Amino acid sequence: MADAPNPFQLPNITKFKIALCQLSITSDKNQNLDRASRSIRLSVEQGAKLLVLPEMWNCPYSSDYFAKYAEDFDNRDASPTLSMLSEAACCHGITIIGGSLPEWDHGRLYNTCCIFGPDGRLKAKHRKIHLFDIDIPGEISFKESDTFTAGDQPTIVDTVGRIGIGICHDIRFPELAALYRKRGVDIICYPGAFNVSTGELLWELVQRARAVDNQLFVATCSPSRNSTGSYTTWGHSTLVGPSGEIIVTSGHEETTVIAQIDYSNIQLQRKSLPLDDQKREDIYKFIDAHELNP
Ligand SMILES: NC(=O)CC(=O)C(=O)O
């Protein structure tokens, strides 16, 4: 289903606008779809070529809702969310990193990000690899693995540059970002829904860390704070540049964040600070398992 990434392809576009659609999520799926559609339209009017939606935007982020709101992506007649995304991408000629949605596949549930190209075709599907299980007594207890099955593939798409995908908790794992870096990714997009406890402490930190370690762009998109249910999201959708600088960030309210990306900053940063040349592969080595089993 996913296009095979070409590691030697240069970005076909180096400067463009990205939109982070920080949506307010309700328990009414149709309303969520309408809101997303409106935010996509607004982003396009402001010139965005790449759009990122939040983690779980057609459904409240709650284990009680995931199965009820899930769609079978292979049956488009039964997947109003995918139909809307595909139509929007095609009609506006843009790339949509479709946040994440609960996906049914052969009796299993996945937390899945669908990526649509400007022709409206599904370019790839990323199933959240690291499920979010957390227990901080008195603060937050959540266990995605009670409901979801974990994905087992990294996901790279070539559209406006080379894009790596992760979903929320995936951002905590530097190995995934390093793998994307090694395969020539320009930007990693992480739809996410950090909660208020971990959000305040870690959200900005992990984004900047993944960007600066790998000298690439990192974009995140979260639902806004007023999500339905017991889980309170942090918000603060953000774009970070290749030297770890915050280019733009939002508060916790519903909003559409637009920012300019210039991929030439990646080369500038890597020229000034050539980390790849300075790596001591004689002491340590990053191994991409796909290279071991080509
Ligand atoms: N949805 C998530 O994966 C949430 C997360 O990682 C967090 O810290 O909150």
Side-chain angles (χ1 to χ4, degrees), residues 55-56 61 111 128 130-134 140 142 144 167-172 191-199 202-203 231-234:
E55 182 179 29
M56 286 297 149
Y61 187 77
N111 183 342
K128 190 171 187 175
H130 307 91
L131 296 179
F132 180 55
D133 290 352
I134 189 168
I140 176 172
F142 202 92
E144 276 194 327
I167 301 174
C168 204
H169 193 46
D170 283 339
I171 200 172
R172 283 198 176 82
F194 264 43
N195 67 87
V196 278
S197 313
T198 57
L202 297 171
W203 178 239
Y231 187 92
T232 314
T233 29
W234 176 239

Side-chain angles (χ1 to χ4, degrees), residues 160-189:
V160 272
R162 170 161 289 216
I163 305 174
I165 308 291
I167 301 174
C168 204
H169 193 46
D170 283 339
I171 200 172
R172 283 198 176 82
F173 298 85
E175 294 84 353
L176 181 63
L179 182 151
Y180 287 150
R181 161 77 186 96
K182 201 164 184 211
R183 295 195 195 176
V185 156
D186 302 298
I187 178 167
I188 310 179
C189 293

